[in-house]
Amino acid sequence: MAAMGCAAQSAKTEPAVTADPQIAAALKQISARRIQANIEKLVSFGTRLTLSAQDPASIAAGRGIGAARDWIKSEFERYSTDCGGCLDVKTDSFTEEPGERIPKATEIINVFAVLKGTDAASAKRIVLVTGHYDSRNSDTFDVNGGAPGANDDGSGTAVSLECARVLSKIKFAGTIVFLTVAGEEQGLNGSHHFAKMAKDQGWELEAVLNNDIVGGDKSAEQNHSVVRVFSEGVPAAATEQDLRRIRGLGGESDSASRQVARYIAEVGRVYDAGVKPMLVFRLDRYLRGGDHYSFNQQGFAAVRLTEFREDFHHQHQNVRTEGGVEYGDLPKFVDYDYVTHVARLNAATLASLAAAPAPPAHVHILTKDLENDSTLTWEASPGSPAPDYEVVWRATTSPEWEHTQGVGNATRATLKLSKDNVIFAVRAVDRPGHRSLAVVPVPER
Ligand SMILES: [Zn+2]
């Protein structure tokens, strides 16, 4: 495309997005050895079925979901001790009444650690990483049988833990929450409760990264250099008014969740995580669901990361050999280097967002008159020093942002480019080059 002028400011060549050396250094601290030890520890509890034992005797014996949960909590607490108490380790506990996959009232406990932002205003902004620590075998009600859950979702739990350990050594303006939930296999119960709590308490949750089955199962057709990133198109929480606008203007691929996916794609190019994100423009895989959806339902931007190719013999299966085929979610099928790479991609994304200025608010595109230029306006992001802004755009048929125009610290920009032909967004950028999420404008007449 030809160079685009900008009436608000003379056109300039944008510097490429570059890596933050502190974040790049932190990624190197993410350890395959630690991740392996954590997954093996989770497997050692025998089963982590949400309905399994959580009485004191079972916890003391190291079997069942109660023991697993206590261990996760003690790990977060240990990381906190190592950073001078920088993590606030908490539980979100509730009783789930009987339902389809919950035969009797069951206590469900989510465990999380909060790394509070250092800047009073920015600390209200939260990015979150989650995995589910519950597991299951062939039978969702089998409270005693083995359910190792090494990949599903020992891997995602290990990502939350390792991100907490490493990122807690750094200070960020924004807040990062490291979450592990239960009840996923019974019907997303833990994440549903947590997401609703976040909504009820008015959390400014900017992005949720749900890691579920990121073990890189060692099957012959696995691609160990790719991780899938699933994101909803039309938001689950869209109002009738939102839906009318989406239909009318072609907003099907511009949910806030999809902006998070695009952000991860950019992070994957800037940082060498060892694995490349492959964006999949759908909520989830066929016949499957996950905890990101609980957040989507409450109106939060949330995506799911999952290995490139799943081996269904190694998920939701009793451990056994049948007809020469090994079934079960065992540690020996997990590629620990792969989980490490996925953890690095998560950590780079969390760190980039927590370091970035707030995204611009009230982004509008002026549509009062029929004209071939496009004018965008927005509210300055709070915080100091005041950030600069970039307008990004792409062809309506393109998956990712293709062009960037810096506009300094203005809160209005006119581009010699027809809004009828492209999709625009605005993002904030600070001096060191941390970018906020991109915000797509709503029309203003
Ligand atoms: Zn899972």
Side-chain angles (χ1 to χ4, degrees), residues 317-339:
Q317 293 285 348
N318 289 344
V319 178
R320 67 194 191 280
T321 302
E322 222 173 74
V325 178
E326 281 187 289
Y327 291 85
D329 191 353
L330 296 168
K332 68 174 179 180
F333 302 123
V334 173
D335 175 351
Y336 297 108
D337 288 331
Y338 182 82
V339 186

Side-chain angles (χ1 to χ4, degrees), residues 1 249 365 374 392-396 401-403 417-424:
M1 203 178 283
L249 297 170
I365 188 156
S374 302
V392 294
W393 68 94
R394 65 180 204 274
T396 60
W401 302 115
E402 297 170 315
H403 307 278
L417 187 60
S418 171
K419 57 193 162 293
D420 297 330
N421 301 341
V422 300
I423 294 169
F424 286 110

